[in-house]
Amino acid sequence: MNPLDGALSQEAAERVQAELRSGEVLHWVGKAGQVDIAALVGGYFFALAWMAFVLLIAYVIYSETALGRGIWGVMVPISLLGVLFNYRLIHKTGRTVYMVTNHRVAWIVLHRKRVLSLALTASVILGTVMRRGGHGDIVFTHDTDGHAENIFRNIPNVRRVAALINDLAAGR
Protein backbone atom coordinates (compact mmCIF):
# COMPACT_ATOMS: atom_id res chain seq x y z
CA MET A 1 0.00 0.00 0.00
CA ASN A 2 1.36 3.40 -0.99
CA PRO A 3 1.21 5.95 1.88
CA LEU A 4 0.45 8.68 -0.66
CA ASP A 5 -2.77 7.08 -1.94
CA GLY A 6 -5.51 9.61 -1.21
CA ALA A 7 -3.73 11.11 1.79
CA LEU A 8 -2.76 14.42 0.18
CA SER A 9 -3.58 16.73 -2.69
CA GLN A 10 -1.79 16.07 -5.99
CA GLU A 11 0.49 19.06 -5.43
CA ALA A 12 1.45 17.92 -1.92
CA ALA A 13 2.02 14.32 -3.07
CA GLU A 14 4.34 15.52 -5.82
CA ARG A 15 6.25 17.65 -3.33
CA VAL A 16 6.68 14.68 -0.97
CA GLN A 17 7.99 12.52 -3.83
CA ALA A 18 10.43 15.28 -4.82
CA GLU A 19 11.77 15.50 -1.24
CA LEU A 20 12.58 11.80 -0.91
CA ARG A 21 16.31 11.14 -0.88
CA SER A 22 18.10 8.29 -2.58
CA GLY A 23 17.43 5.04 -0.72
CA GLU A 24 14.55 6.44 1.31
CA VAL A 25 11.31 4.53 1.58
CA LEU A 26 8.18 6.45 2.56
CA HIS A 27 6.35 4.70 5.42
CA TRP A 28 3.81 7.35 6.47
CA VAL A 29 2.70 10.77 5.32
CA GLY A 30 -0.01 13.02 6.70
CA LYS A 31 -1.23 16.44 7.70
CA ALA A 32 -2.74 17.79 10.86
CA GLY A 33 -6.29 16.59 11.43
CA GLN A 34 -9.34 18.78 11.82
CA VAL A 35 -8.97 21.50 14.41
CA ASP A 36 -11.02 20.83 17.53
CA ILE A 37 -13.61 23.63 17.44
CA ALA A 38 -14.02 23.71 21.23
CA ALA A 39 -10.26 24.14 21.72
CA LEU A 40 -10.12 26.76 18.99
CA VAL A 41 -12.99 28.80 20.45
CA GLY A 42 -11.52 28.43 23.93
CA GLY A 43 -8.12 29.60 22.73
CA TYR A 44 -9.53 32.66 20.99
CA PHE A 45 -11.80 33.45 23.93
CA PHE A 46 -8.82 33.37 26.27
CA ALA A 47 -6.76 35.51 23.89
CA LEU A 48 -9.52 38.12 23.56
CA ALA A 49 -10.15 38.12 27.33
CA TRP A 50 -6.42 38.58 27.92
CA MET A 51 -6.34 41.44 25.41
CA ALA A 52 -9.29 43.16 27.13
CA PHE A 53 -7.65 42.72 30.55
CA VAL A 54 -4.31 44.14 29.39
CA LEU A 55 -6.01 47.09 27.71
CA LEU A 56 -8.05 47.79 30.85
CA ILE A 57 -4.92 47.76 32.99
CA ALA A 58 -3.17 50.04 30.49
CA TYR A 59 -6.11 52.44 30.56
CA VAL A 60 -6.13 52.55 34.36
CA ILE A 61 -2.41 53.19 34.49
CA TYR A 62 -2.63 55.76 31.71
CA SER A 63 -5.40 57.70 33.34
CA GLU A 64 -3.85 57.68 36.81
CA THR A 65 -0.16 58.43 36.27
CA ALA A 66 2.24 60.14 33.92
CA LEU A 67 4.13 56.86 33.67
CA GLY A 68 1.11 55.32 31.97
CA ARG A 69 1.57 57.41 28.82
CA GLY A 70 4.68 55.43 27.88
CA ILE A 71 3.17 52.09 28.90
CA TRP A 72 0.10 52.53 26.68
CA GLY A 73 2.16 52.17 23.49
CA VAL A 74 3.68 48.94 24.77
CA MET A 75 0.51 47.32 26.14
CA VAL A 76 -1.51 47.38 22.91
CA PRO A 77 0.99 45.30 20.90
CA ILE A 78 1.47 42.89 23.83
CA SER A 79 -2.28 42.42 24.10
CA LEU A 80 -2.46 41.24 20.47
CA LEU A 81 0.11 38.48 20.92
CA GLY A 82 -2.40 35.86 22.09
CA VAL A 83 -4.62 36.31 19.03
CA LEU A 84 -1.65 36.31 16.66
CA PHE A 85 -0.17 33.19 18.28
CA ASN A 86 -3.39 31.20 17.76
CA TYR A 87 -3.73 32.38 14.17
CA ARG A 88 -0.12 31.60 13.30
CA LEU A 89 -0.23 28.15 14.86
CA ILE A 90 -3.39 27.15 12.99
CA HIS A 91 -2.29 28.72 9.70
CA LYS A 92 1.17 27.10 9.80
CA THR A 93 -0.13 23.67 10.82
CA GLY A 94 -2.56 23.53 7.90
CA ARG A 95 0.21 24.04 5.33
CA THR A 96 2.67 21.48 6.68
CA VAL A 97 2.96 17.86 5.57
CA TYR A 98 4.54 15.35 7.94
CA MET A 99 6.60 12.48 6.54
CA VAL A 100 8.19 9.36 8.04
CA THR A 101 10.76 7.42 6.03
CA ASN A 102 13.19 4.65 6.87
CA HIS A 103 15.84 7.33 7.62
CA ARG A 104 14.07 10.38 9.05
CA VAL A 105 10.97 12.25 10.12
CA ALA A 106 10.33 15.44 8.17
CA TRP A 107 8.16 18.56 8.01
CA ILE A 108 7.50 19.91 4.52
CA VAL A 109 6.13 23.45 4.46
CA LEU A 110 4.09 23.53 1.25
CA HIS A 111 4.06 27.27 0.59
CA ARG A 112 7.85 27.48 0.97
CA LYS A 113 10.78 25.40 -0.20
CA ARG A 114 11.59 24.65 3.42
CA VAL A 115 12.00 21.09 4.70
CA LEU A 116 13.01 20.30 8.26
CA SER A 117 14.01 16.77 9.14
CA LEU A 118 15.41 14.75 12.01
CA ALA A 119 17.30 11.49 11.69
CA LEU A 120 15.63 8.43 13.18
CA THR A 121 17.32 7.59 16.47
CA ALA A 122 16.18 5.59 19.47
CA SER A 123 15.40 8.79 21.37
CA VAL A 124 13.90 10.94 18.59
CA ILE A 125 10.44 10.89 20.22
CA LEU A 126 10.34 12.86 23.45
CA GLY A 127 6.65 12.14 24.09
CA THR A 128 3.12 12.06 22.78
CA VAL A 129 -0.02 14.02 23.63
CA MET A 130 -3.27 12.09 23.26
CA ARG A 131 -6.66 13.61 22.47
CA ARG A 132 -10.13 12.31 21.78
CA GLY A 133 -10.68 10.17 18.74
CA GLY A 134 -7.10 8.95 18.52
CA HIS A 135 -5.69 12.33 17.46
CA GLY A 136 -2.64 13.75 19.16
CA ASP A 137 0.80 15.29 18.93
CA ILE A 138 4.21 13.67 18.71
CA VAL A 139 6.94 15.77 20.30
CA PHE A 140 10.44 15.21 18.93
CA THR A 141 13.89 16.01 20.22
CA HIS A 142 17.14 16.16 18.33
CA ASP A 143 19.81 16.98 20.85
CA THR A 144 21.43 15.20 23.75
CA ASP A 145 19.87 17.56 26.29
CA GLY A 146 16.39 16.32 25.33
CA HIS A 147 14.98 19.72 24.37
CA ALA A 148 11.77 19.49 22.35
CA GLU A 149 12.21 21.17 19.01
CA ASN A 150 9.48 19.99 16.69
CA ILE A 151 5.99 18.54 16.82
CA PHE A 152 3.71 16.56 14.52
CA ARG A 153 0.51 18.39 15.52
CA ASN A 154 -2.97 16.88 15.79
CA ILE A 155 -2.33 13.82 13.67
CA PRO A 156 -4.86 10.98 13.36
CA ASN A 157 -3.91 7.57 14.82
CA VAL A 158 -1.08 9.11 16.82
CA ARG A 159 -0.29 5.85 18.65
CA ARG A 160 0.15 3.96 15.40
CA VAL A 161 2.42 6.65 13.94
CA ALA A 162 4.54 6.85 17.12
CA ALA A 163 4.87 3.05 17.17
CA LEU A 164 5.92 3.08 13.51
CA ILE A 165 8.61 5.69 14.20
CA ASN A 166 9.90 3.74 17.20
CA ASP A 167 9.96 0.48 15.19
CA LEU A 168 11.83 2.12 12.31
CA ALA A 169 14.32 3.73 14.70
CA ALA A 170 14.93 0.42 16.47
CA GLY A 171 15.64 -1.29 13.15
CA ARG A 172 18.38 1.18 12.17
Side-chain angles (χ1 to χ4, degrees):
M1 181 176 146
N2 184 355
L4 287 173
D5 289 343
L8 302 173
S9 69
Q10 181 67 26
E11 176 188 356
E14 288 172 2
R15 178 76 188 277
V16 168
Q17 286 292 353
E19 295 298 338
L20 289 174
R21 298 173 181 165
S22 177
E24 274 190 320
V25 177
L26 184 65
H27 287 275
W28 179 85
V29 65
K31 293 178 78 173
Q34 294 288 336
V35 175
D36 182 10
I37 296 299
L40 180 64
V41 170
Y44 275 113
F45 177 75
F46 176 77
L48 291 173
W50 175 253
M51 185 172 75
F53 173 74
V54 170
L55 291 175
L56 178 66
I57 296 299
Y59 176 75
V60 168
I61 292 172
Y62 177 72
S63 65
E64 296 295 325
T65 67
L67 177 65
R69 290 184 190 99
I71 292 175
W72 182 256
V74 174
M75 296 300 261
V76 171
I78 288 175
S79 68
L80 295 173
L81 286 178
V83 175
L84 292 175
F85 176 76
N86 277 340
Y87 174 78
R88 182 164 159 45
L89 183 64
I90 292 164
H91 186 68
K92 180 181 174 186
T93 301
R95 294 179 177 227
T96 303
V97 173
Y98 308 125
M99 174 174 82
V100 177
T101 73
N102 56 327
H103 296 290
R104 63 187 172 137
V105 294
W107 294 256
I108 301 171
V109 181
L110 295 176
H111 62 284
R112 295 185 180 161
K113 294 296 178 192
R114 180 176 160 209
V115 176
L116 174 69
S117 64
L118 300 174
L120 285 179
T121 62
S123 61
V124 73
I125 294 180
L126 182 63
T128 57
V129 177
M130 302 296 297
R131 291 192 196 82
R132 291 180 292 176
H135 283 72
D137 303 336
I138 301 176
V139 182
F140 295 93
T141 183
H142 76 276
D143 58 18
T144 56
D145 294 334
H147 292 112
E149 293 292 329
N150 301 293
I151 301 173
F152 280 7
R153 295 188 187 281
N154 198 30
I155 58 171
N157 301 314
V158 68
R159 284 186 184 167
R160 183 179 62 82
V161 176
L164 172 67
I165 293 167
N166 284 330
D167 290 346
L168 289 169
R172 289 191 51 81

